[in-house]
Amino acid sequence: MMKKKILSAAVLTLTVSLLLSGCSLFAAPGDSDGSKNGGSSDAVKMTDSYTFEDPAELDFDTRYVLYCDENTKMISQVPAEYGVKAGYSIIYAKDNAPVADYEFFVCDSAEHAQAAADLYASQGQSLTAAEGDPCVLYSFAGADTFEASLVTFQSYGIISEATVSAYVEFMQTNSGGTILD
């Protein structure tokens, strides 16, 4: 029971982080602040068989990619029986307002991924296996959901303002993750 609570807390933290970040933690090469010029695409390779690419329908000017591995606070707190070895928050924004947020968990086996998805399902939430690799799970939050999360975080004093950049700063600080260039 305690392991489920720890995993739930870690997953909730990651989910909240992703919901508030706009679903893309990618930064264009050379753009340390995550800024994108013209919304060009930079693929994020998560496993040998799965690479995430920016959805063509998204209108954004900034994308953040927050990466957490087994050495970060976020992933190290997940119980071993779920086999989570990495997490990515890919957050999209336009004029610092939320556009979309993708949260990914990379598990060490399809069985562990299914166990993590089952845990989420038991709590009324869903994680979807990525097409092409059942070890990669993700959740998605659109602009409205993401914005509601930002407003909620601001109202609780978690972030200073309901902006994507404030959320990303909070997430990086609290997860121990790295913003990828």
Side-chain angles (χ1 to χ4, degrees):
M1 185 64 164
M2 182 59 128
K3 288 181 181 180
K4 282 188 177 183
K5 286 183 180 181
I6 292 171
L7 176 61
S8 296
V11 169
L12 176 61
T13 302
L14 184 57
T15 300
V16 168
S17 298
L18 293 174
L19 289 175
L20 296 179
S21 64
C23 234
S24 188
L25 301 176
F26 294 96
D31 292 341
S32 61
D33 67 351
S35 298
K36 301 292 289 180
N37 295 323
S40 64
S41 176
D42 289 308
V44 176
K45 185 172 178 74
M46 295 181 192
T47 67
D48 288 341
S49 57
Y50 183 74
T51 299
F52 179 83
E53 295 187 20
D54 294 334
E57 70 277 3
L58 290 183
D59 180 21
F60 66 97
D61 59 18
T62 306
R63 178 184 67 181
Y64 300 91
V65 176
L66 177 66
Y67 172 71
C68 295
D69 64 16
E70 295 162 324
N71 297 314
T72 63
K73 187 174 13 174
M74 178 76 69
I75 301 301
S76 67
Q77 294 176 353
V78 177
E81 69 258 23
Y82 295 101
V84 177
K85 60 183 186 177
Y88 293 84
S89 293
I90 302 173
I91 301 165
Y92 298 91
K94 184 158 188 168
D95 298 327
N96 210 12
V99 172
D101 178 29
Y102 290 84
E103 298 295 320
F104 289 90
F105 295 104
V106 179
C107 298
D108 60 5
S109 71
E111 293 78 19
H112 281 145
Q114 186 60 54
D118 290 346
L119 176 64
Y120 258 68
S122 74
Q123 298 173 359
Q125 301 172 358
S126 66
L127 287 175
T128 304
E131 191 173 316
D133 191 337
C135 295
V136 178
L137 302 171
Y138 73 94
S139 65
F140 169 78
D144 292 342
T145 301
F146 191 14
E147 182 175 24
S149 296
L150 291 174
V151 169
T152 300
F153 283 178
Q154 182 186 21
S155 72
Y156 284 112
I158 296 170
I159 57 177
S160 61
E161 58 186 9
T163 63
V164 172
S165 59
Y167 173 73
V168 169
E169 180 180 339
F170 166 79
M171 288 306 298
Q172 182 178 18
T173 300
N174 288 290
S175 71
T178 302
I179 300 291
L180 300 179
D181 289 333

mmCIF file of all heavy atoms in Angstrom, residues 76-109:
data_model
loop_
_atom_site.group_PDB
_atom_site.id
_atom_site.type_symbol
_atom_site.label_atom_id
_atom_site.label_comp_id
_atom_site.label_asym_id
_atom_site.label_seq_id
_atom_site.Cartn_x
_atom_site.Cartn_y
_atom_site.Cartn_z
ATOM 1 N N SER A 76 13.283 8.719 -9.043
ATOM 2 C CA SER A 76 13.850 7.857 -7.995
ATOM 3 C C SER A 76 12.822 7.488 -6.934
ATOM 4 O O SER A 76 12.999 6.486 -6.240
ATOM 5 C CB SER A 76 15.064 8.522 -7.350
ATOM 6 O OG SER A 76 14.685 9.672 -6.624
ATOM 7 N N GLN A 77 11.743 8.246 -6.801
ATOM 8 C CA GLN A 77 10.712 7.959 -5.804
ATOM 9 C C GLN A 77 9.678 6.930 -6.279
ATOM 10 O O GLN A 77 8.874 6.472 -5.488
ATOM 11 C CB GLN A 77 9.998 9.243 -5.398
ATOM 12 C CG GLN A 77 10.903 10.199 -4.678
ATOM 13 C CD GLN A 77 10.228 11.513 -4.349
ATOM 14 O OE1 GLN A 77 9.110 11.792 -4.752
ATOM 15 N NE2 GLN A 77 10.924 12.342 -3.591
ATOM 16 N N VAL A 78 9.710 6.560 -7.544
ATOM 17 C CA VAL A 78 8.758 5.593 -8.072
ATOM 18 C C VAL A 78 9.214 4.189 -7.668
ATOM 19 O O VAL A 78 10.370 3.829 -7.894
ATOM 20 C CB VAL A 78 8.655 5.692 -9.612
ATOM 21 C CG1 VAL A 78 7.711 4.629 -10.159
ATOM 22 C CG2 VAL A 78 8.201 7.083 -10.034
ATOM 23 N N PRO A 79 8.332 3.387 -7.052
ATOM 24 C CA PRO A 79 8.728 2.023 -6.654
ATOM 25 C C PRO A 79 9.235 1.195 -7.840
ATOM 26 O O PRO A 79 8.732 1.303 -8.960
ATOM 27 C CB PRO A 79 7.430 1.432 -6.098
ATOM 28 C CG PRO A 79 6.644 2.615 -5.654
ATOM 29 C CD PRO A 79 6.970 3.705 -6.646
ATOM 30 N N ALA A 80 10.223 0.359 -7.565
ATOM 31 C CA ALA A 80 10.894 -0.437 -8.602
ATOM 32 C C ALA A 80 9.940 -1.328 -9.380
ATOM 33 O O ALA A 80 10.184 -1.598 -10.561
ATOM 34 C CB ALA A 80 12.003 -1.264 -7.975
ATOM 35 N N GLU A 81 8.857 -1.799 -8.761
ATOM 36 C CA GLU A 81 7.971 -2.725 -9.483
ATOM 37 C C GLU A 81 7.237 -2.080 -10.662
ATOM 38 O O GLU A 81 6.594 -2.773 -11.441
ATOM 39 C CB GLU A 81 6.968 -3.415 -8.554
ATOM 40 C CG GLU A 81 5.921 -2.526 -7.974
ATOM 41 C CD GLU A 81 6.234 -2.152 -6.531
ATOM 42 O OE1 GLU A 81 7.402 -2.203 -6.124
ATOM 43 O OE2 GLU A 81 5.294 -1.800 -5.829
ATOM 44 N N TYR A 82 7.361 -0.767 -10.821
ATOM 45 C CA TYR A 82 6.763 -0.102 -11.978
ATOM 46 C C TYR A 82 7.800 0.142 -13.074
ATOM 47 O O TYR A 82 7.449 0.530 -14.181
ATOM 48 C CB TYR A 82 6.070 1.193 -11.568
ATOM 49 C CG TYR A 82 4.898 0.890 -10.663
ATOM 50 C CD1 TYR A 82 5.001 1.040 -9.294
ATOM 51 C CD2 TYR A 82 3.703 0.396 -11.178
ATOM 52 C CE1 TYR A 82 3.944 0.733 -8.462
ATOM 53 C CE2 TYR A 82 2.644 0.084 -10.354
ATOM 54 C CZ TYR A 82 2.773 0.252 -8.991
ATOM 55 O OH TYR A 82 1.720 -0.068 -8.169
ATOM 56 N N GLY A 83 9.062 -0.058 -12.781
ATOM 57 C CA GLY A 83 10.109 -0.009 -13.788
ATOM 58 C C GLY A 83 10.236 1.299 -14.545
ATOM 59 O O GLY A 83 10.698 1.320 -15.679
ATOM 60 N N VAL A 84 9.856 2.412 -13.928
ATOM 61 C CA VAL A 84 9.958 3.703 -14.611
ATOM 62 C C VAL A 84 11.421 4.143 -14.565
ATOM 63 O O VAL A 84 12.003 4.303 -13.500
ATOM 64 C CB VAL A 84 9.039 4.764 -13.972
ATOM 65 C CG1 VAL A 84 9.222 6.115 -14.650
ATOM 66 C CG2 VAL A 84 7.582 4.317 -14.040
ATOM 67 N N LYS A 85 12.000 4.318 -15.753
ATOM 68 C CA LYS A 85 13.416 4.700 -15.800
ATOM 69 C C LYS A 85 13.636 6.127 -16.289
ATOM 70 O O LYS A 85 14.729 6.663 -16.148
ATOM 71 C CB LYS A 85 14.210 3.717 -16.645
ATOM 72 C CG LYS A 85 13.768 3.595 -18.075
ATOM 73 C CD LYS A 85 14.577 2.531 -18.800
ATOM 74 C CE LYS A 85 14.242 2.512 -20.269
ATOM 75 N NZ LYS A 85 15.038 1.552 -20.999
ATOM 76 N N ALA A 86 12.594 6.745 -16.854
ATOM 77 C CA ALA A 86 12.724 8.136 -17.304
ATOM 78 C C ALA A 86 11.340 8.764 -17.456
ATOM 79 O O ALA A 86 10.334 8.056 -17.595
ATOM 80 C CB ALA A 86 13.461 8.210 -18.642
ATOM 81 N N GLY A 87 11.335 10.073 -17.436
ATOM 82 C CA GLY A 87 10.113 10.827 -17.669
ATOM 83 C C GLY A 87 10.446 12.057 -18.495
ATOM 84 O O GLY A 87 11.539 12.621 -18.379
ATOM 85 N N TYR A 88 9.528 12.424 -19.347
ATOM 86 C CA TYR A 88 9.670 13.626 -20.174
ATOM 87 C C TYR A 88 8.401 14.441 -20.032
ATOM 88 O O TYR A 88 7.302 13.904 -20.142
ATOM 89 C CB TYR A 88 9.817 13.279 -21.658
ATOM 90 C CG TYR A 88 11.078 12.561 -22.035
ATOM 91 C CD1 TYR A 88 11.179 11.184 -21.897
ATOM 92 C CD2 TYR A 88 12.166 13.252 -22.559
ATOM 93 C CE1 TYR A 88 12.337 10.505 -22.268
ATOM 94 C CE2 TYR A 88 13.323 12.585 -22.930
ATOM 95 C CZ TYR A 88 13.397 11.211 -22.786
ATOM 96 O OH TYR A 88 14.530 10.543 -23.152
ATOM 97 N N SER A 89 8.556 15.725 -19.831
ATOM 98 C CA SER A 89 7.447 16.664 -19.906
ATOM 99 C C SER A 89 7.717 17.517 -21.128
ATOM 100 O O SER A 89 8.748 18.180 -21.215
ATOM 101 C CB SER A 89 7.371 17.541 -18.668
ATOM 102 O OG SER A 89 7.040 16.782 -17.540
ATOM 103 N N ILE A 90 6.808 17.487 -22.058
ATOM 104 C CA ILE A 90 6.958 18.281 -23.279
ATOM 105 C C ILE A 90 5.848 19.313 -23.249
ATOM 106 O O ILE A 90 4.672 18.990 -23.357
ATOM 107 C CB ILE A 90 6.904 17.401 -24.529
ATOM 108 C CG1 ILE A 90 7.999 16.342 -24.447
ATOM 109 C CG2 ILE A 90 7.051 18.255 -25.790
ATOM 110 C CD1 ILE A 90 7.943 15.304 -25.540
ATOM 111 N N ILE A 91 6.251 20.558 -23.092
ATOM 112 C CA ILE A 91 5.318 21.644 -22.803
ATOM 113 C C ILE A 91 5.378 22.690 -23.911
ATOM 114 O O ILE A 91 6.455 23.175 -24.253
ATOM 115 C CB ILE A 91 5.666 22.281 -21.451
ATOM 116 C CG1 ILE A 91 5.599 21.215 -20.358
ATOM 117 C CG2 ILE A 91 4.755 23.449 -21.156
ATOM 118 C CD1 ILE A 91 6.255 21.618 -19.068
ATOM 119 N N TYR A 92 4.200 23.025 -24.422
ATOM 120 C CA TYR A 92 4.093 24.016 -25.497
ATOM 121 C C TYR A 92 3.385 25.270 -24.983
ATOM 122 O O TYR A 92 2.412 25.178 -24.253
ATOM 123 C CB TYR A 92 3.298 23.453 -26.672
ATOM 124 C CG TYR A 92 3.938 22.253 -27.322
ATOM 125 C CD1 TYR A 92 3.628 20.964 -26.891
ATOM 126 C CD2 TYR A 92 4.853 22.396 -28.347
ATOM 127 C CE1 TYR A 92 4.222 19.861 -27.476
ATOM 128 C CE2 TYR A 92 5.448 21.296 -28.940
ATOM 129 C CZ TYR A 92 5.129 20.029 -28.503
ATOM 130 O OH TYR A 92 5.720 18.929 -29.082
ATOM 131 N N ALA A 93 3.895 26.416 -25.437
ATOM 132 C CA ALA A 93 3.308 27.697 -25.044
ATOM 133 C C ALA A 93 3.312 28.648 -26.229
ATOM 134 O O ALA A 93 4.092 28.495 -27.166
ATOM 135 C CB ALA A 93 4.105 28.309 -23.891
ATOM 136 N N LYS A 94 2.414 29.613 -26.157
ATOM 137 C CA LYS A 94 2.416 30.719 -27.117
ATOM 138 C C LYS A 94 2.228 31.982 -26.300
ATOM 139 O O LYS A 94 1.253 32.095 -25.552
ATOM 140 C CB LYS A 94 1.321 30.571 -28.167
ATOM 141 C CG LYS A 94 1.398 31.679 -29.199
ATOM 142 C CD LYS A 94 0.729 31.319 -30.482
ATOM 143 C CE LYS A 94 1.028 32.414 -31.497
ATOM 144 N NZ LYS A 94 0.662 32.014 -32.811
ATOM 145 N N ASP A 95 3.162 32.905 -26.418
ATOM 146 C CA ASP A 95 3.153 34.127 -25.614
ATOM 147 C C ASP A 95 3.061 33.807 -24.125
ATOM 148 O O ASP A 95 2.352 34.481 -23.369
ATOM 149 C CB ASP A 95 2.017 35.056 -26.045
ATOM 150 C CG ASP A 95 2.143 35.515 -27.484
ATOM 151 O OD1 ASP A 95 3.288 35.686 -27.954
ATOM 152 O OD2 ASP A 95 1.093 35.684 -28.150
ATOM 153 N N ASN A 96 3.755 32.744 -23.704
ATOM 154 C CA ASN A 96 3.829 32.291 -22.318
ATOM 155 C C ASN A 96 2.495 31.765 -21.777
ATOM 156 O O ASN A 96 2.338 31.558 -20.583
ATOM 157 C CB ASN A 96 4.389 33.384 -21.403
ATOM 158 C CG ASN A 96 5.150 32.820 -20.220
ATOM 159 O OD1 ASN A 96 5.469 31.632 -20.149
ATOM 160 N ND2 ASN A 96 5.440 33.676 -19.260
ATOM 161 N N ALA A 97 1.536 31.553 -22.675
ATOM 162 C CA ALA A 97 0.246 30.960 -22.299
ATOM 163 C C ALA A 97 0.261 29.486 -22.712
ATOM 164 O O ALA A 97 0.908 29.112 -23.693
ATOM 165 C CB ALA A 97 -0.897 31.696 -23.009
ATOM 166 N N PRO A 98 -0.449 28.638 -21.977
ATOM 167 C CA PRO A 98 -0.428 27.207 -22.267
ATOM 168 C C PRO A 98 -1.081 26.846 -23.596
ATOM 169 O O PRO A 98 -2.112 27.398 -23.967
ATOM 170 C CB PRO A 98 -1.206 26.600 -21.105
ATOM 171 C CG PRO A 98 -2.046 27.699 -20.575
ATOM 172 C CD PRO A 98 -1.311 28.971 -20.855
ATOM 173 N N VAL A 99 -0.445 25.921 -24.309
ATOM 174 C CA VAL A 99 -0.980 25.371 -25.557
ATOM 175 C C VAL A 99 -1.259 23.884 -25.371
ATOM 176 O O VAL A 99 -2.351 23.411 -25.664
ATOM 177 C CB VAL A 99 -0.012 25.600 -26.739
ATOM 178 C CG1 VAL A 99 -0.475 24.860 -27.980
ATOM 179 C CG2 VAL A 99 0.142 27.096 -27.007
ATOM 180 N N ALA A 100 -0.278 23.140 -24.877
ATOM 181 C CA ALA A 100 -0.445 21.698 -24.675
ATOM 182 C C ALA A 100 0.655 21.171 -23.760
ATOM 183 O O ALA A 100 1.714 21.778 -23.636
ATOM 184 C CB ALA A 100 -0.403 20.956 -26.003
ATOM 185 N N ASP A 101 0.370 20.026 -23.147
ATOM 186 C CA ASP A 101 1.338 19.396 -22.254
ATOM 187 C C ASP A 101 1.276 17.894 -22.462
ATOM 188 O O ASP A 101 0.212 17.294 -22.370
ATOM 189 C CB ASP A 101 0.995 19.732 -20.807
ATOM 190 C CG ASP A 101 1.921 19.087 -19.808
ATOM 191 O OD1 ASP A 101 3.093 18.834 -20.122
ATOM 192 O OD2 ASP A 101 1.464 18.819 -18.694
ATOM 193 N N TYR A 102 2.409 17.300 -22.745
ATOM 194 C CA TYR A 102 2.528 15.845 -22.859
ATOM 195 C C TYR A 102 3.438 15.376 -21.741
ATOM 196 O O TYR A 102 4.533 15.906 -21.572
ATOM 197 C CB TYR A 102 3.145 15.433 -24.196
ATOM 198 C CG TYR A 102 2.262 15.655 -25.379
ATOM 199 C CD1 TYR A 102 2.201 16.897 -26.006
ATOM 200 C CD2 TYR A 102 1.489 14.628 -25.895
ATOM 201 C CE1 TYR A 102 1.394 17.099 -27.104
ATOM 202 C CE2 TYR A 102 0.681 14.825 -26.997
ATOM 203 C CZ TYR A 102 0.635 16.072 -27.594
ATOM 204 O OH TYR A 102 -0.173 16.270 -28.685
ATOM 205 N N GLU A 103 2.980 14.376 -21.020
ATOM 206 C CA GLU A 103 3.775 13.768 -19.965
ATOM 207 C C GLU A 103 4.069 12.327 -20.371
ATOM 208 O O GLU A 103 3.158 11.582 -20.704
ATOM 209 C CB GLU A 103 3.020 13.803 -18.637
ATOM 210 C CG GLU A 103 2.717 15.196 -18.148
ATOM 211 C CD GLU A 103 3.965 15.983 -17.812
ATOM 212 O OE1 GLU A 103 4.904 15.408 -17.239
ATOM 213 O OE2 GLU A 103 3.997 17.172 -18.131
ATOM 214 N N PHE A 104 5.320 11.948 -20.326
ATOM 215 C CA PHE A 104 5.744 10.602 -20.735
ATOM 216 C C PHE A 104 6.461 9.893 -19.594
ATOM 217 O O PHE A 104 7.220 10.515 -18.845
ATOM 218 C CB PHE A 104 6.732 10.676 -21.907
ATOM 219 C CG PHE A 104 6.112 11.082 -23.194
ATOM 220 C CD1 PHE A 104 6.036 12.421 -23.545
ATOM 221 C CD2 PHE A 104 5.604 10.136 -24.068
ATOM 222 C CE1 PHE A 104 5.465 12.807 -24.744
ATOM 223 C CE2 PHE A 104 5.031 10.512 -25.270
ATOM 224 C CZ PHE A 104 4.964 11.846 -25.609
ATOM 225 N N PHE A 105 6.217 8.583 -19.495
ATOM 226 C CA PHE A 105 6.973 7.697 -18.619
ATOM 227 C C PHE A 105 7.581 6.630 -19.504
ATOM 228 O O PHE A 105 6.877 6.029 -20.315
ATOM 229 C CB PHE A 105 6.082 7.002 -17.584
ATOM 230 C CG PHE A 105 5.444 7.942 -16.607
ATOM 231 C CD1 PHE A 105 4.116 8.280 -16.720
ATOM 232 C CD2 PHE A 105 6.184 8.478 -15.566
ATOM 233 C CE1 PHE A 105 3.522 9.140 -15.821
ATOM 234 C CE2 PHE A 105 5.596 9.339 -14.657
ATOM 235 C CZ PHE A 105 4.253 9.673 -14.788
ATOM 236 N N VAL A 106 8.858 6.371 -19.341
ATOM 237 C CA VAL A 106 9.524 5.304 -20.077
ATOM 238 C C VAL A 106 9.824 4.196 -19.067
ATOM 239 O O VAL A 106 10.559 4.418 -18.096
ATOM 240 C CB VAL A 106 10.825 5.795 -20.750
ATOM 241 C CG1 VAL A 106 11.506 4.654 -21.497
ATOM 242 C CG2 VAL A 106 10.525 6.971 -21.685
ATOM 243 N N CYS A 107 9.227 3.031 -19.292
ATOM 244 C CA CYS A 107 9.389 1.887 -18.391
ATOM 245 C C CYS A 107 10.373 0.891 -18.983
ATOM 246 O O CYS A 107 10.603 0.875 -20.189
ATOM 247 C CB CYS A 107 8.043 1.212 -18.150
ATOM 248 S SG CYS A 107 6.849 2.307 -17.343
ATOM 249 N N ASP A 108 10.912 0.030 -18.135
ATOM 250 C CA ASP A 108 11.899 -0.937 -18.592
ATOM 251 C C ASP A 108 11.299 -2.175 -19.243
ATOM 252 O O ASP A 108 12.018 -2.964 -19.844
ATOM 253 C CB ASP A 108 12.850 -1.333 -17.464
ATOM 254 C CG ASP A 108 12.133 -1.971 -16.282
ATOM 255 O OD1 ASP A 108 10.913 -2.206 -16.340
ATOM 256 O OD2 ASP A 108 12.817 -2.221 -15.265
ATOM 257 N N SER A 109 9.981 -2.357 -19.155
ATOM 258 C CA SER A 109 9.326 -3.490 -19.810
ATOM 259 C C SER A 109 7.862 -3.169 -20.053
ATOM 260 O O SER A 109 7.282 -2.299 -19.391
ATOM 261 C CB SER A 109 9.428 -4.764 -18.955
ATOM 262 O OG SER A 109 8.599 -4.648 -17.804
#
